[in-house]
Amino acid sequence: MLTRFEELLGFGAAEHAAVTYKNVTLTYGELRERVARAAEGLRWLEPGARVAIYAEKQLETVVAMFAVAAAGGVFVPINPLFKARQVEYVIEDCAAALLITTPERARTLSGSVRTVLIGDLDVVTTDPPSSVDHDISDIAGILYTSGSTGSPKGVVLSHGNLLAGAASVAGYLGHAHDDVVLAALPLSFDAGLSQLTTSFLAGAHVVLVNYLLPREVVRLCATHGVTALTCVPPLWAQLATQRWPAEATRGLRYFANTGGRLPKTTLAWLRETFPQATPFLMYGLTEAFRSTYLDPAEIDRRPGSIGKAVPNAEVLVVRADGSECDPGEEGEIVHRGALVSLGYWNDPARTAERFRPFPPGGDEIAVWSGDVAYRDEEGFIFFVGRTDDMIKTSGYRLSPTEVEEAAYATGLVAEAVAVGVPDEDLGEHVVLHVVLTEAAAPDGLRLALERDLPRYMVPRRIVTATALPRSGNGKFDRAEIRRSAAR
């Protein structure tokens, strides 16, 4: 039985390809050696020390994550799309003892934490090696995801969470040593990290790509004979515009979707383009790694369903009192079992709100998702919507407050409310309603937001007004603003 995250590297044959980036491939033997050497250089870390990793996907990024775990630390991968504002928040919030990054990215930050360049991991040693003794319940990593109060929240994952999640997902996807998995999602995503863990558990080959152009995905599928590809709906929509030659499609064993509903037209294109590939439609929470998947045999019988619980998990639809909903009755999705994370880092209030006993009054902690769904007579779950104001765009969940705070920080707005508007390709796109300061112009605000925010957070539209609607208690009337934005 595995007890430590880094033990996932032990399944691949020493001479078998483990991970490729651009024109360089590390075998499992080479990867294990690189991780061991880097871990020795990090032995000075206190047990449980947080190490932020801010870099694009590359071989060194993978080495860093596993080396931090092997050294007894906690890896904190930061989305490479984050700008300085978000990166410095994460570093401060998790009290990182070390930042591992590239020279170019280091120059954009304040330098308030000890920094090591990602290519120098094997020469970091400053103290004698110390013994590392951690077990399955210890913290392995923290993944930062947007929170409903505006600031990102760090989801705390134990070694056990990551190992149970890897076994669950690799099991239903059928990962094997001869699979070639194209890792197209950020490693700071639970689904992106899962592409590493499930592949390494099977001794498979992972090909890293930092997505820029859809044709690059097609090229890599052809070059490496990719057998497994998981994407979010906006990426699938872009890939549907490409010409896929036979050498790029013939090896694909499955394709999978996560991060939002896949439009029917895109699913139809995928099935036509990859007729031999098995489709997997998935739903997950960072707080519980993965939650459900739809049995491929049920796709035509149950269009729109997110399926049933993944192995090693129980997923229910319940009323506010915790009692299970009847078929067809809407309720909240609750996830329980080995994949449920340890809560939010340094945030007991939000942890208590989302991580609560199930059944109420019991001893087991479950994730109350905030997502509304119903189940049919046979237990298949159908997603309805969210109970909060989170915006789901381009596969990301973002808080409207994050966009609003960035707008206020420019000094150009007096009032700001961001809402999500349904979008066939993105899930939702962001519309920002503002009251500008006297001397401000919309073009200046847009330029400032493009400078300060990741691309997926930048509003599609900025709507100006002399005043924003308010409810009877004086708060902004988000429901009315959302209705206005959708017109």
Side-chain angles (χ1 to χ4, degrees):
M1 175 182 173
L2 299 183
T3 60
R4 294 159 58 147
F5 173 72
E6 62 271 21
E7 292 173 347
L8 287 169
L9 299 181
F11 289 91
E15 70 282 1
H16 192 278
V19 59
T20 294
Y21 180 60
K22 294 185 176 178
N23 297 321
V24 180
T25 297
L26 295 180
T27 66
Y28 273 92
E30 292 168 335
L31 179 58
R32 289 192 284 262
E33 181 181 345
R34 290 274 299 271
V35 168
R37 191 164 63 242
E40 285 302 311
L42 294 170
R43 294 296 188 198
W44 60 272
L45 290 168
E46 293 289 333
R50 278 74 62 200
V51 178
I53 304 170
Y54 180 45
E56 64 181 10
K57 266 179 288 181
Q58 53 186 298
L59 300 177
E60 292 81 2
T61 313
V62 177
V63 170
M65 292 172 66
F66 281 88
V68 168
V74 175
F75 62 86
V76 186
I78 299 178
N79 191 325
L81 293 180
F82 274 13
K83 302 290 181 67
R85 177 191 183 96
Q86 292 81 30
V87 175
E88 290 173 356
Y89 171 84
V90 170
I91 290 171
E92 180 178 355
D93 185 68
C94 74
L98 181 69
L99 169 66
I100 299 173
T101 189
T102 63
E104 298 78 15
R105 292 175 184 270
R107 286 193 288 269
T108 70
L109 303 175
S110 66
S112 59
V113 65
R114 178 177 179 179
T115 300
V116 171
L117 300 184
I118 200 162
D120 296 337
L121 275 178
D122 56 355
V123 294
V124 178
T125 302
T126 58
D127 292 314
S130 58
S131 60
V132 177
D133 183 18
H134 55 213
D135 62 30
I136 200 165
S137 63
D138 288 337
I139 301 172
I142 303 175
L143 302 184
Y144 272 81
T145 183
S146 294
S148 58
T149 63
S151 57
K153 56 187 185 292
V155 178
V156 181
L157 301 170
S158 69
H159 289 263
N161 291 148
L162 292 170
L163 294 171
S168 176
V169 179
Y172 71 76
L173 291 178
H175 278 183
H177 74 278
D178 56 352
D179 271 315
V180 180
V181 179
L182 185 62
L185 302 176
L187 300 181
S188 54
F189 267 16
D190 59 319
L193 180 56
S194 176
Q195 292 176 306
L196 288 186
T197 60
T198 57
S199 300
F200 292 157
L201 182 64
H205 178 195
V206 180
V207 178
L208 305 175
V209 58
N210 293 291
Y211 176 75
L212 292 174
L213 298 171
R215 65 171 176 266
E216 180 68 1
V217 173
V218 178
R219 184 187 70 80
L220 289 171
C221 285
T223 300
H224 296 283
V226 167
T227 66
L229 181 59
T230 300
C231 298
V232 294
L235 176 51
W236 281 129
Q238 291 181 313
L239 294 178
T241 67
Q242 302 299 298
R243 186 184 70 83
W244 285 74
E247 58 268 27
T249 65
R250 67 168 64 101
L252 202 67
R253 181 176 66 78
Y254 77 78
F255 61 84
N257 178 70
T258 189
R261 182 182 63 85
L262 189 65
K264 293 179 181 178
T265 54
T266 306
L267 177 59
W269 174 86
L270 284 166
R271 298 176 77 179
E272 180 180 354
T273 303
F274 310 112
Q276 80 292 348
T278 303
F280 286 92
L281 306 181
M282 304 187 295
Y283 160 85
L285 301 168
T286 306
E287 292 85 348
F289 203 62
R290 297 284 86 197
S291 288
T292 70
Y293 79 100
L294 181 61
D295 183 338
E298 299 287 341
I299 285 180
D300 293 322
R301 292 183 59 209
R302 305 177 198 276
S305 175
I306 60 173
K308 295 183 177 181
V310 301
N312 299 322
E314 184 178 11
V315 178
L316 306 166
V317 180
V318 305
R319 304 181 182 98
D321 63 3
S323 60
E324 192 165 2
C325 292
D326 294 327
E329 180 186 359
E330 292 185 1
E332 184 174 357
I333 295 176
V334 172
H335 180 128
R336 63 194 296 199
L339 280 67
V340 173
S341 68
L342 303 182
Y344 299 128
W345 177 262
N346 196 31
D347 197 336
R350 283 197 285 190
T351 297
E353 179 183 349
R354 187 68 73 200
F355 293 82
R356 308 199 304 273
F358 186 89
D363 296 327
E364 181 183 355
I365 298 298
V367 178
W368 296 67
S369 69
D371 289 339
V372 178
Y374 67 90
R375 60 182 178 87
D376 65 14
E377 293 283 352
E378 296 179 59
F380 287 87
I381 299 172
F382 291 77
F383 184 87
V384 175
R386 293 200 52 77
T387 57
D388 56 26
D389 294 318
M390 296 291 288
I391 301 170
K392 196 156 193 174
T393 180
S394 301
Y396 294 89
R397 288 176 61 199
L398 69 94
S399 164
T401 313
E402 290 187 81
V403 180
E404 293 158 8
E405 288 179 347
Y408 284 123
T410 67
L412 301 176
V413 303
E415 297 178 359
V417 171
V419 296
V421 173
D423 187 301
E424 182 70 9
D425 293 327
L426 301 178
E428 291 182 302
H429 65 251
V430 180
V431 176
L432 179 64
H433 290 246
V434 298
V435 175
L436 294 171
T437 57
E438 188 173 342
D443 288 346
L445 176 59
R446 173 167 295 282
L447 289 173
L449 294 176
E450 289 175 346
R451 180 194 65 221
D452 294 336
L453 289 175
R455 184 170 50 198
Y456 66 87
M457 288 190 187
V458 176
R460 171 76 63 83
R461 286 189 292 136
I462 297 176
V463 179
T464 61
T466 56
L468 298 184
R470 283 173 163 76
S471 62
N473 60 10
K475 295 181 179 180
F476 289 130
D477 190 342
R478 289 184 179 273
E480 174 58 30
I481 293 170
R482 190 178 295 109
R483 284 191 291 270
S484 173
R487 294 186 188 121

